[in-house]
């Protein structure tokens, strides 16, 4: 998948001829390491949102008949667009492919990787003379028949891993929405029945995300569960964790989630409460059993991870952090009775906690597959997995894989020895 990016926030320039807005666009992969190289030029449309007497209105600044284009070999597209004098106070700008069929705007269009897609961007624009925030938003409509969207912001012109969007998280959110939709879209990959079973349980669900970045997966899943899918009537708690460098952006996205939750338009009759929270968790601490109070507070039904297994040098810390979370779960009071430890793991019943882990990844190199060995070493056993084709417009086929693992309570003290 490709992403429309701004290389810096839009700026205004005033002249006698009127106000101009300068926008520098690029279209790249999630990592930003490869520019879109399409067979035929791709038109780009830019709209701005401004205040009118009757409320906010969107106006196109690019020519509908002959929009600017992005071509193979291009690295940036610089645009100077005239703002019609009648528009008072422009406060948002939206950049998207001109061809509607290429827009990655809803989960259902991402179900079948046949059609290459581009993720559009929205940017808040400061008044002329003021500096705009270095932040762009990604918005994904989760269901065709329900008013729930994923809305996350990421940093413009920042290459920090924790501060922008990744294919693994976005594709996993789209797939989860499709999996739980009342009518799953045509062409979607079947599977992950175990995951559907966990999410369909009508009990308060506790979900912990490890390495959440800007919160795409955790917040996306929270929005999906809010919609009361599969007849769920009870709420859920989603706790996201990452390094301190992720904090500012993720709290901004939690704030967005909370305000969106308080204002779900249209049919929200089935809506259930889903809380979203954040706590720092460095795997270098986690692997030693140093976990924060929020992580230790609940037994987690489901751990979720996306795009965190690309670096084999951190897999040991990650796998042992998961094992330590499992150990902490098993030390909580009032746990249910589950089969205790013996060689087969079906010893006499004792209080304990079995949990599941969903992991999404866009494999970037062969050595990444080692995560399966590391996870098995920490007693996370694979139940099933699916492979989703990434909707690419150019280059080699790519995919996102989603795995479901189980960790049984009786393996609570098993940590991974160095491989
Ligand atoms: C490629 S990003 C993926 C982010 C997010 N899961 C997503 O899919 O959008 C990898 C994430 O792992 C986090 N990470 C890397 N090393 C970590 C560590 N030692 N402890 C905690 N998080 C770590 C990074 O901060 C980053 O947010």
């Amino acid at each position: 998948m490709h992403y429309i990016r701004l290389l810096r926030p839009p700026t205004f320039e005033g002249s006698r001829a009127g106000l101009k807005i300068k926008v520098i666009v690029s279209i790249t992969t999630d990592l930003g390491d490869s520019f879109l190289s399409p067979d035929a030029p791709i038109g780009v449309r830019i709209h701005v949102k401004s205040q009118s007497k009757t409320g906010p209105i969107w106006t196109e600044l690019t020519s509908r008949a002959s929009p600017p284009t992005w071509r193979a070999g291009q690295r940036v597209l610089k645009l100077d667009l005239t703002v019609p004098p009648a528009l008072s106070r422009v406060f948002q700008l939206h950049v998207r492919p001109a061809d509607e069929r290429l827009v990655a705007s809803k989960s259902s269009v991402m179900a079948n990787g046949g059609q290459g897609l581009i993720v559009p961007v929205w940017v808040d624009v400061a008044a002329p003379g003021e500096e705009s925030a270095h932040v762009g938003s990604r918005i994904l409509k989760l269901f065709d028949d329900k008013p729930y969207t994923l809305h996350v912001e990421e940093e413009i012109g920042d290459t920090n891993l924790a501060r922008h969007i990744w294919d693994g998280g976005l594709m996993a959110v789209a797939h989860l929405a499709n999996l739980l939709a009342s009518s799953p879209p045509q062409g979607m990959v079947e599977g992950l029945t175990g995951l559907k079973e966990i999410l369909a349980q009508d009990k308060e669900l506790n979900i912990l995300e490890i390495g959440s970045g800007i919160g795409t997966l955790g917040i996306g899943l929270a929005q999906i569960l809010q919609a009361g899918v599969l007849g769920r009537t009870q709420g859920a708690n989603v706790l996201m964790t990452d390094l301190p460098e992720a904090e500012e952006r993720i709290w901004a996205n939690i704030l967005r989630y909370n305000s969106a939750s308080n204002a779900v338009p249209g049919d929200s009759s089935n809506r259930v409460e889903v809380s979203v929270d954040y706590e720092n968790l460095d795997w270098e601490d986690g692997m030693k059993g140093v976990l924060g109070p929020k992580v230790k507070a609940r037994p987690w039904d489901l751990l979720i991870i996306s795009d965190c297994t690309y670096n084999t040098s951190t897999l040991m810390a990650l796998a042992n952090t998961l094992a330590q979370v499992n150990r902490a779960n098993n030390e909580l009071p009032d746990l249910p009775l589950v089969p205790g430890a013996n060689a087969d793991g079906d010893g006499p019943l004792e209080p304990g906690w079995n949990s599941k882990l969903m992991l999404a990844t866009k494999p970037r190199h062969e050595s990444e597959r080692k995560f399966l060995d590391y996870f098995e070493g920490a007693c996370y056993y694979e139940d099933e997995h699916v492979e989703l084709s990434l909707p690419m417009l150019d280059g080699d086929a790519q995919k996102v894989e989603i795995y479901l693992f189980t960790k049984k309570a009786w393996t609570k003290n098993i940590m991974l020895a160095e491989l």
Side-chain angles (χ1 to χ4, degrees):
M1 207 146 53
H2 287 86
Y3 296 78
I4 295 187
R5 298 181 187 285
L6 297 195
L7 297 194
R8 56 168 199 239
T11 50
F12 285 105
E13 202 168 81
S15 74
R16 274 201 206 132
L19 198 59
K20 290 208 167 228
I21 191 160
K22 287 171 146 337
V23 187
I24 306 182
V25 173
S26 189
I27 309 184
T28 72
T29 52
D30 59 348
L31 188 56
D33 59 340
S34 166
F35 297 90
L36 174 63
S37 183
D39 291 339
I42 286 185
V44 172
R45 296 176 69 185
I46 299 192
H47 291 79
V48 286
K49 196 177 188 183
S50 61
Q51 196 55 44
S52 78
K53 280 186 191 141
T54 52
I57 48 160
W58 283 98
T59 308
E60 179 158 10
L61 298 189
T62 39
S63 152
R64 203 177 173 126
S66 148
T69 54
W70 178 271
R71 293 159 190 274
Q74 201 158 350
R75 298 172 78 87
V76 288
L77 177 61
K78 292 185 179 177
L79 298 167
D80 275 9
L81 301 161
T82 303
V83 181
L87 297 189
S88 63
R89 182 64 184 99
V90 168
F91 55 91
Q92 207 176 42
L93 179 131
H94 175 43
V95 192
R96 63 190 292 146
D99 184 342
E100 283 294 322
R101 291 168 304 176
L102 304 185
V103 187
S105 55
K106 47 186 187 174
S107 302
S108 56
V109 304
M110 289 158 66
N112 154 3
Q115 166 68 62
L117 294 175
I118 301 175
V119 182
V121 69
W122 284 256
V123 187
D124 289 341
V125 184
E130 290 172 23
E131 199 187 340
S132 299
H134 285 237
V135 173
S137 289
R138 308 293 179 177
I139 301 177
L140 183 74
K141 185 166 180 359
L142 295 164
F143 304 103
D144 289 350
D145 59 351
K146 289 184 169 54
Y148 293 86
T149 53
L150 165 71
H151 184 157
V152 281
E153 59 180 52
E154 62 174 348
E155 292 199 11
I156 291 178
D158 185 316
T159 52
N160 186 298
L161 301 181
R163 297 203 275 259
H164 68 92
I165 195 153
W166 294 90
D167 282 337
L170 192 60
M171 283 295 287
V173 169
H175 189 69
L176 286 168
N178 291 335
L179 194 68
L180 304 188
S182 48
S183 37
Q186 266 195 338
M188 82 164 277
V189 173
E190 300 288 334
L192 294 182
T193 42
L195 184 59
K196 195 166 171 177
E197 277 164 23
I198 302 166
L199 298 174
Q201 292 173 81
D202 201 14
K203 56 164 264 193
E204 187 167 284
L205 281 175
N206 293 320
I207 298 169
L208 173 67
E209 180 166 15
I210 309 285
S212 51
I214 59 171
T216 308
L217 180 55
I219 292 175
L221 181 52
Q223 279 287 16
I224 291 168
L225 292 174
Q226 260 202 342
V229 284
L230 300 175
R232 283 182 55 81
T233 58
Q234 298 207 45
N237 306 295
V238 176
L239 175 64
M240 299 181 288
T241 64
D242 204 293
L243 297 171
E245 62 213 45
E247 261 191 286
E248 185 184 353
R249 204 47 54 227
I250 205 158
W251 279 118
N253 283 328
I254 292 175
L255 211 63
R256 278 186 187 277
Y257 167 82
N258 287 337
S259 20
S261 306
N262 292 332
V264 176
D267 170 25
S268 54
S269 48
N270 298 328
R271 184 173 158 234
V272 295
E273 289 294 326
V274 182
S275 76
V276 174
D277 202 352
Y278 175 80
E279 183 172 74
N280 286 326
L281 171 56
D282 184 336
W283 311 332
E284 295 296 326
D285 297 330
M287 69 186 287
K288 298 176 203 141
V290 181
L291 304 171
K294 292 181 188 173
V295 171
K296 286 199 286 191
R298 298 174 194 277
W300 302 103
D301 297 288
L302 181 65
L303 308 186
I304 55 175
I305 299 182
S306 67
D307 270 344
C308 284
T309 44
Y310 53 88
N311 184 351
T312 48
S313 67
T314 57
L315 286 176
M316 168 89 180
L318 174 59
N320 273 334
T321 297
L322 299 174
Q324 292 284 10
V325 168
N326 185 264
R327 190 206 302 246
N329 277 179
N330 280 290
E331 284 167 2
L332 286 167
D334 307 323
L335 294 175
L337 293 176
V338 293
N342 68 11
D344 300 321
D346 59 0
L349 293 181
E350 54 184 67
W353 191 253
N354 298 329
S355 65
K356 297 272 185 184
L357 160 67
M358 185 201 89
L359 178 136
T361 179
K362 171 169 123 173
R364 291 164 205 265
H365 45 81
E366 217 19 65
S367 61
E368 187 182 323
R369 303 226 159 267
K370 278 197 172 170
F371 79 81
L372 289 167
D373 300 334
Y374 279 91
F375 282 30
E376 195 165 309
C379 289
Y380 277 85
Y381 295 111
E382 183 188 329
D383 293 335
E384 51 181 325
H385 84 269
V386 294
E387 296 188 1
L388 314 174
S389 300
L390 259 183
M392 296 298 290
L393 271 166
D394 69 358
D396 296 336
Q398 296 187 2
K399 59 186 178 176
V400 165
E401 299 172 350
I402 305 182
Y403 291 80
L404 188 65
F405 298 88
T406 297
K407 174 131 178 160
K408 299 283 188 191
W410 63 274
T411 62
K412 61 190 165 201
N413 290 322
I414 299 179
M415 296 292 133
L416 169 68
E418 185 67 79
L419 289 179

